[in-house]
Amino acid sequence: MEAPNPSTINFQPSTIWAALAQIPDPEIPVVSITDMGMVRDVTVSDAGRVTVTFTPTFSGCPALHVIRDSIEQAVRDLGVADVEVRSTLTPPWTTDWINDDARERLRQYGIAPPAPTGEGQLIQLDAEPTRCPRCGSLNVCMTASFGPTLCKRMYVCDNCREPFEGFKSV
C-alpha cells in the first residue's frame, strides 16, 4: 500500500480521535481506549506534529506499552510523520470516564461495569452493589479482591451460579 501524501492529509483533531476510537483496550477488546476515557487530549501543531496525551487506568498497567504503541501506529497510519504520545497520571483516571455505551458492552461481555464514583469529595464506605452481568441479580459474592488484572475483582452469582469479573470503581 502506498503511503499517503502528507500535503493532502487533513490532520484535524477529529480525524485523530476517530482513529483512536478504533483502538481496542488491550485487556477488554469490546471497548476502545476512547470508550474507557483514557485519551485525554489530541493536539495538532501548525507544523503537523500530533501529540496524544492519555491516562492509563492504573499507574502500573501492564498494557501501558501496548496502548502507547497502538496510539502511535494509529496516528502514523493516517500519514502523520511526527507523532508524540504522552502518558500522564494527573488527573488520575477514574471509572467515571467510561462512557455509558461502553458500560453496557462490558456487561454484555460478562464484566460487571463499575458503579459511578460520583463527584463528591467524600469516600463512600458503602460500595454500590455489584450486579451479575448475566442474570442481573444482586445476589453475588466476591471470591477474590483481584482478578486477572488489577482493575477487576472476581465474583460468583448465587442465583445463576456463573463466575464473573467486576470492574473496581476508582
Side-chain angles (χ1 to χ4, degrees):
M1 182 171 152
E2 189 176 317
N5 179 348
S7 64
T8 64
I9 297 172
N10 184 0
F11 296 130
Q12 295 298 315
S14 60
T15 304
I16 308 298
W17 278 98
L20 298 176
Q22 301 305 308
I23 300 172
D25 180 297
E27 296 170 342
I28 312 167
V30 296
V31 293
S32 73
I33 61 172
T34 59
D35 291 333
M36 294 295 288
M38 287 188 256
V39 179
R40 305 305 311 144
D41 187 49
V42 172
T43 59
V44 181
S45 74
D46 291 339
R49 179 183 197 140
V50 172
T51 303
V52 178
T53 304
F54 78 100
T55 300
T57 56
F58 282 91
S59 60
C61 177
L64 190 64
H65 69 283
V66 173
I67 296 167
R68 178 185 300 277
D69 291 348
S70 296
I71 290 171
E72 182 175 350
Q73 188 60 54
V75 176
R76 288 194 187 284
D77 286 350
L78 294 173
V80 179
D82 192 1
V83 180
E84 179 182 9
V85 180
R86 298 178 182 168
S87 60
T88 182
L89 299 177
T90 306
W93 181 84
T94 170
T95 51
D96 286 343
W97 294 352
I98 301 173
N99 71 39
D100 290 339
D101 183 54
R103 288 174 191 277
E104 177 57 21
R105 280 184 275 136
L106 288 171
R107 188 196 63 73
Q108 290 175 357
Y109 190 64
I111 298 174
T117 61
E119 297 296 324
Q121 295 295 317
L122 299 176
I123 296 173
Q124 300 299 316
L125 297 179
D126 293 327
E128 180 78 19
T130 300
R131 285 191 179 275
C132 174
R134 292 179 176 83
C135 73
S137 173
L138 289 172
N139 188 18
V140 301
C141 179
M142 182 173 51
T143 59
S145 294
F146 295 99
T149 60
L150 294 175
C151 59
K152 292 182 264 177
R153 294 183 174 115
M154 297 303 298
Y155 295 86
V156 67
C157 178
D158 290 333
N159 281 7
C160 69
R161 307 301 301 160
E162 287 290 325
F164 65 93
E165 299 172 19
F167 234 98
K168 295 177 184 177
S169 295
V170 292

